[in-house]
Amino acid sequence: MGSRGGEPWAATIEAFRLSPTAFLLSHGTGDTFGADLLNELRSERLGEAVKLSILFLFLEYPTLLCPDAKAGREAAASLLSLFAQLNLSPKHVSLRCSLLFAAETVLVATDSLGEDCPTSHELLSVLLHLVSDPNDSRGGVAERPIRAAACECLRELESCYSGFLLHRLEILRSLHQQEVSSVHQGYTLLYSVALRNAVFLLARSGEGCLGDLLASNGDLMWEATKELGKLSPAGLDQLVLLPSAADLKELKLVLSALLESSYLFTSAAQSHLLCHLAQAVSVVRTQSPVIFKAQLARLFGTSSVTLEHAILQLKSLFTDSLFTAEDESFLLRHLVGLAQHPALPDAVKLFHLDCLLHFPENRPLVSGTDERLPVLLTPRATSGLFPGFFQDQGTVLARMNLLCLVCVENEGPSAERGAGYLLEHVLALGGLVARDGGLDATRLFFQAAFIFAQYFGSRAQPMAELTRCLLDLYRRNCTLAPNIINLLDETWRTDESHWARSLAQALQEFVVSIPLQEQDLSWHLKILARLAKENEVPQASTMQFLARLVASGKLGDWCSGQILLSVCRNLMVRHPSPALSQLAALLHAISLGHTDVDVQDRAGFYYTLLTNLSSEKLRSVLVPVVPVKTRSLSSSIVADSESFVAALTVHPVDPAPLRLQRVEITGDTPAVPPAEQEVDGHCQWLLAARSPLWLRLAYRLIHAGPGTPPYDLLLCVVLRFSCTSRYYEPVPELCIPCLAAHRPSPTVRLTLQPRCPYPTRLNVSALYTTQDGLTRWSQLEHLEVSFPDLFLPLPVPAWSSEKLCQLFDALWQCLHPNAKEAHAESLTVWPLPPRSLEGLVRDQFGRYILAEQGDEYRIALTLPPRDHILLLVRSVDDSARVTIRTDNWKLLPSLNHYLQSLVKAG
């Protein structure tokens, strides 16, 4: 499949990665493609790099390639079989490691790992055999990477199924102590996660002895495979374990041995080990966390992000039980220094800034996970973190957020000077915007202004300066109106919106006082439209501005007219409403004086609503989403308003009161040329490039809802289709005037135009009206277009059997694989005797049989848009040989899957 037509497997894998679901829909089911991948892994033609790419697909998409448990077990068995066949050559090391990872991933992802699965036992036997070879005593140095991979597989299994290695702790400890090669790290991490889970399970059950578990040497705990991820470290606070003095001494020896060897590990491995052991110690309340003190003394000065994270995890778990006040102060100073270190990447510095905002204090004043400032973090301690002009945007905003919090939480001259510096920085960013600094500078200024307003919105003097800066920017460049509106929106959502109100009033005063200029009119109107939504902003000056604008006659184009009407609309729904007579006069003048007809009509509509409806009903009509209020429906006004809104709403209905049922099309015959044409001419006509064929499917639209009003009669039914595959043209919608519960179901014909003859799935929805006048929408069941649905009979004249045989032979010769690159030939076998073969062929291919002679059948198919398949079926002893030729080799996987499914179904 993958190497035909000059399209190598690498291109097939890339196509799968781009869109896995669409690829599988067009190339058969996931298990079929997965089986093809497994077959290619055994091919000698493929290089190791391609085979590794194939295995990575099983690691990344195991449930797509193995959609059920059975497929997962078969795939894992095939991978383990291939692992056993490969020799111990160093060139196969990467491939063998990937085979182990893929087999384990497939079994876990498909929920197939269990005691009743022979493949699971085979996998565990291989893994335990590999790890039971410390110091390469059996396999040699070449086997060392395989042992490391086996340790990693067992560690992942123990992480997924807590307690799976519960009764193997003594063996794992012995292997950890014996191993002296570089794989010692893998053995240590495996033992640490098994030890942690054992402590968790013992604390949760309350039954058993810690000493017995540490010395256990039994079977695998297959019961753990039934509880995937059930035990989580998130609930450490509820787990308590109080072992005996002897057990505690043994545990301390184990912990000390693990910690003493950790300095040789990588940073990531050290972080994992410290995390596992700290979680175990936090459950054993009688074990002091001071055992980690030596590690902390070694790691306090580290610049590794992973180790910093491990230290903070230790501090979060043990607080002042492990960290003194001096330790906490040093750790804060260390984080501040790393947050501004010039040699570190920006992402690492941002991580340390975030650590400062979520620092686990020894004695926090407040609890929770929100951002809070450590008590020891003062303006003086953070003086080096003030933002500058030569930093990236993320760093500037993160430092701005931290420093604003520092200045707000502290008092005194240092905090005041810090707040002043931050304001100067925001104003300087505004200066860059004023000098046309570009989109990045504009975005940075408004984000910084929002952060500053969040913390200092209640301070009059700095916010007044920021208001003047924003007004000056808007005066220079009115296109900043969307940014200012967004700033208003975000600021108004905060609890303290005093500055938002003052900024809104200042903007209103500025807009209504400037001369009318048509080129900036739309921006000014957008500002006024946003301000008109707020009840706290007086609108008298806005009304005067609109009256002056209408009187001038400079109403702008259609776009400006729509924004002007949005201002009027927002004024109409305000509470309390402005002078209605003035607003009505404005709308009437716009409906008469605007140059655009659409604006005139809409203004006239608003004028009619304003002069004929009450304020409450007017708001019910104009506001798109109104919370449903609990009140009596005795008021006819409220009842009419709710009915009006309901009539304008599309109401979802689930389950759908209608469904589509597939029926066979009768009477459709393909167009054929005159019978006088010769065989060779007709053959060329069949294979010539013509207009693409269409696929027509018939369905009966069945009323499936209740036979009582309002669903007994569905009017103006519109069926809309969306195809999940990119290999089909858009599907036109179908319209049915009426669908009644007690009338015959109509038949609809769906026309599809495939770009390639691949199976697909159609999503179907229905829009219809019920007798109560409401428009409703329902999602119908998916429509599956399978591969045999694409089969169409070959258009041939009414010829004799002899002439039809000649036509098939001519087509067979034209589709020879050597004729064109896209042509292909394949062979499959049906284990069927002659009598069963005849029944199968006539049932499944009766319409497509071109000729037959005894136990030989010649079948010709055409598939839209313009592809062909020829099947030559011969009975040989107690089986049937099916020879296939086609002018599109990409159809072979789907065709082979379909042909084999016929035999399985029979």
Side-chain angles (χ1 to χ4, degrees), residues 714-776:
L714 309 181
L715 304 172
C716 300
V717 181
V718 178
L719 299 178
R720 293 174 176 171
F721 306 88
S722 61
C723 189
T724 59
S725 173
R726 57 189 175 90
Y727 297 107
Y728 283 75
E729 297 290 344
V731 184
E733 62 185 25
L734 299 177
C735 300
I736 298 91
C738 173
L739 180 63
H742 307 293
R743 297 181 186 175
S745 301
T747 300
V748 297
R749 294 202 175 192
L750 182 61
T751 302
L752 304 178
Q753 186 178 4
R755 298 190 184 103
C756 296
Y758 296 142
T760 188
R761 172 184 294 173
L762 296 177
N763 298 321
V764 189
S765 62
L767 193 69
Y768 52 91
T769 303
T770 50
Q771 294 185 75
D772 52 7
L774 298 182
T775 302
R776 304 181 187 272

Side-chain angles (χ1 to χ4, degrees), residues 219-400:
D219 297 330
L220 296 172
M221 189 175 174
W222 288 100
E223 294 81 3
T225 59
K226 301 175 183 179
E227 301 180 354
L228 178 60
K230 188 174 182 179
L231 186 62
S232 171
L236 291 179
D237 295 340
Q238 290 78 31
L239 298 178
V240 177
L241 182 62
L242 301 175
S244 64
D247 293 345
L248 186 63
K249 182 178 180 180
E250 182 68 19
L251 176 63
K252 188 174 181 179
L253 290 176
V254 171
L255 295 175
S256 300
L258 292 173
L259 290 173
E260 285 175 2
S261 62
S262 64
Y263 71 95
L264 296 173
F265 297 167
T266 63
S267 297
Q270 291 184 60
S271 177
H272 278 287
L273 180 63
L274 287 173
C275 177
H276 294 158
L277 299 185
Q279 290 171 354
V281 170
S282 67
V283 174
V284 184
R285 301 299 170 89
T286 53
Q287 171 61 53
S288 172
V290 179
I291 195 172
F292 296 103
K293 199 68 177 180
Q295 301 298 320
L296 291 181
R298 178 173 63 86
L299 299 177
F300 256 154
T302 183
S303 60
S304 170
V305 174
T306 54
L307 293 178
E308 286 281 352
H309 192 264
I311 294 174
L312 292 175
Q313 281 185 309
L314 289 173
K315 193 171 191 318
S316 177
L317 282 173
F318 302 117
T319 61
D320 56 355
S321 300
L322 181 60
F323 291 80
T324 64
E326 291 77 11
D327 294 337
E328 185 176 66
S329 177
F330 174 80
L331 189 54
L332 274 173
R333 293 197 304 271
H334 183 60
L335 289 175
V336 171
L338 292 176
Q340 55 183 319
H341 200 288
L344 294 178
D346 293 332
V348 176
K349 289 187 281 189
L350 288 175
F351 165 76
H352 289 106
L353 287 173
D354 193 68
C355 290
L356 290 172
L357 289 173
H358 300 86
F359 187 78
E361 296 181 274
N362 284 348
R363 300 182 183 276
L365 298 179
V366 294
S367 60
T369 58
D370 295 335
E371 294 181 353
R372 61 178 184 271
L373 194 69
V375 176
L376 298 178
L377 206 59
T378 61
R380 183 176 180 180
T382 57
S383 58
L385 291 178
F386 280 91
F389 282 103
F390 301 104
Q391 297 159 352
D392 65 288
Q393 294 190 19
T395 302
V396 170
L397 295 175
R399 291 190 175 193
M400 190 86 187

Side-chain angles (χ1 to χ4, degrees), residues 107-147:
L107 285 176
V108 174
T110 58
D111 199 18
S112 303
L113 193 77
E115 191 173 9
D116 58 343
C117 175
T119 307
S120 301
H121 288 272
E122 182 182 356
L123 173 65
L124 268 299
S125 176
V126 171
L127 295 178
L128 294 175
H129 176 75
L130 288 171
V131 300
S132 62
D133 179 26
N135 301 316
D136 311 312
S137 58
R138 290 195 307 263
V141 179
E143 197 79 357
R144 187 175 298 172
I146 312 298
R147 291 196 297 121

